[in-house]
Amino acid sequence: MALAQKGFARTSPNPLVGALVVRQGRLVSQGYHGFFGGPHAEASALKKAGPKARGATLYVTLEPCSSWGKTPPCVDAVTASGVRRVVIGSLDPNPAHFRHGVQKLKRAGIRVRIGVQAKEVERQNEAFFKTQRKGIPFITLKMAQSWDGKIAAQNGRSRWVSSAPARHFVRHLRDEVDAVMVGTRTAILDNPRLQGTRPGEKPWRVVLDAKLELPPKARIFKGPQLTFVAVSEKRIKSISHTALNGRKVLIPLPERKGRLDLESLLQQLAWLGVNHLLAEGGGELAWSLISGGYVDRLVWIIAPKILGGRQAKTSVEGEGMNRPDRALGVKWTKVYRLGADWVFEGRPCSRES
């Protein structure tokens, strides 16, 4: 698992995987999946081991894949290597691979053990597991708010509620995900780029713009990253070439009660390869995700400032709960300081938790 972690934030939409070849109690070789499209952990470890893999034990955090992707099936490399035994952390939740690799190994006469630290492996790959099992991305909801819960002043200005160290932290947070999503109001008022710290084509950007209100010169359309614009399918027929100028990829969506169908959007993003989605605002989008039960992780940045204002936007808006005892529960997992701000990380949970 420590080896697998070396590929963190570089393997998506593939999972993190580490592998060891051990013979007569001694480590022969090791490998991990370093980046998407690169050699898989098992293939890397076995290539390094060469003839020494014969009669050895292969330890691998995830079930070896059994079909072609960007690389050949790992299970073929395992069976050809001459290893005698394979110890697997967790089965692969991908329906194309689930138990197929194990079956091929057993048919080749290789002894297989499954489920060693399976829960830990699943936690390490929680975004991948959720996408494979539920067909929608793992969602981190991030908010930066004042002490009194405001994400912007009453005139809509939000630069800067949080401190410079906190903003730097958010850019690193974007490095961990496949895409960053905001609502129309946030995109118009803040005019963000939604970039991480590393140059390149990730993270992708997603903006909900049902009525195509964003100006073509908005900064969210600049840079090498793809920008996906979720638009009402009712508007597709009226879109002109002028309206499309500067936009990247349109995702037409049906509407439910006058709002874009988030379920459909999340399914399409998962199909496109988004395992981990970071939602950054605003309050209406946050409520839609929370009320729909889509949020898996919460990152709340609290700045020691009081903005006030009846019309000032808050971190979560929408219809809200009618009763406090029906509020969504949160189990805190981390609390730490960044500059003058505090960061609270947590997981949604039932009220009983």
Side-chain angles (χ1 to χ4, degrees), residues 24-205:
Q24 296 179 345
R26 293 190 176 187
L27 177 64
V28 174
S29 65
Q30 59 189 37
Y32 65 95
H33 187 31
F35 60 93
F36 178 63
H40 287 193
E42 307 93 303
S44 177
L46 291 169
K47 184 177 181 180
K48 292 175 186 176
K52 292 181 180 179
R54 188 161 299 278
T57 296
L58 171 70
Y59 294 86
V60 60
T61 55
L62 200 69
E63 177 183 11
C65 61
S66 54
S67 62
W68 274 85
K70 285 185 173 291
T71 60
C74 287
V75 70
D76 291 351
V78 177
T79 55
S81 69
V83 297
R84 181 179 59 186
R85 179 170 170 256
V86 177
V87 178
I88 297 170
S90 173
L91 292 170
D92 191 334
N94 186 337
H97 300 153
F98 181 71
R99 288 194 177 276
H100 296 331
V102 170
Q103 291 169 359
K104 285 189 176 183
L105 293 174
K106 289 182 176 179
R107 284 199 296 267
I110 297 172
R111 290 190 288 124
V112 180
R113 184 180 174 188
I114 308 166
V116 179
Q117 293 187 294
K119 290 183 179 179
E120 289 83 353
V121 171
E122 184 170 341
R123 277 197 294 270
Q124 186 178 48
N125 286 293
E126 57 186 350
F128 174 76
F129 271 73
K130 182 187 177 183
T131 305
Q132 293 298 326
R133 287 173 173 171
K134 296 189 176 181
I136 60 174
F138 181 94
I139 296 180
T140 294
L141 175 61
K142 178 240 106 186
M143 281 291 168
Q145 66 174 51
S146 64
W147 188 271
D148 55 338
K150 309 295 185 181
I151 59 174
Q154 58 185 353
N155 62 1
R157 295 185 64 178
S158 61
R159 295 188 176 185
W160 295 103
V161 171
S162 58
S163 64
R167 297 195 297 274
H168 187 65
F169 159 76
V170 171
R171 295 192 71 189
H172 278 283
L173 189 62
R174 291 171 186 159
D175 291 338
E176 301 176 12
V177 305
D178 300 302
V180 183
M181 180 167 67
V182 295
T184 310
R185 182 178 174 84
T186 298
I188 291 175
L189 292 177
D190 293 354
N191 197 19
R193 290 183 184 272
L194 301 180
Q195 293 177 328
T197 65
R198 299 193 301 244
E201 299 179 355
K202 288 287 188 79
W204 291 341
R205 298 163 298 192

Side-chain angles (χ1 to χ4, degrees), residues 235-250:
R235 294 263 170 175
I236 293 297
K237 294 180 181 179
S238 63
I239 293 175
S240 66
H241 290 293
T242 301
L244 284 172
N245 182 35
R247 289 188 163 84
K248 303 292 184 178
V249 181
L250 292 182

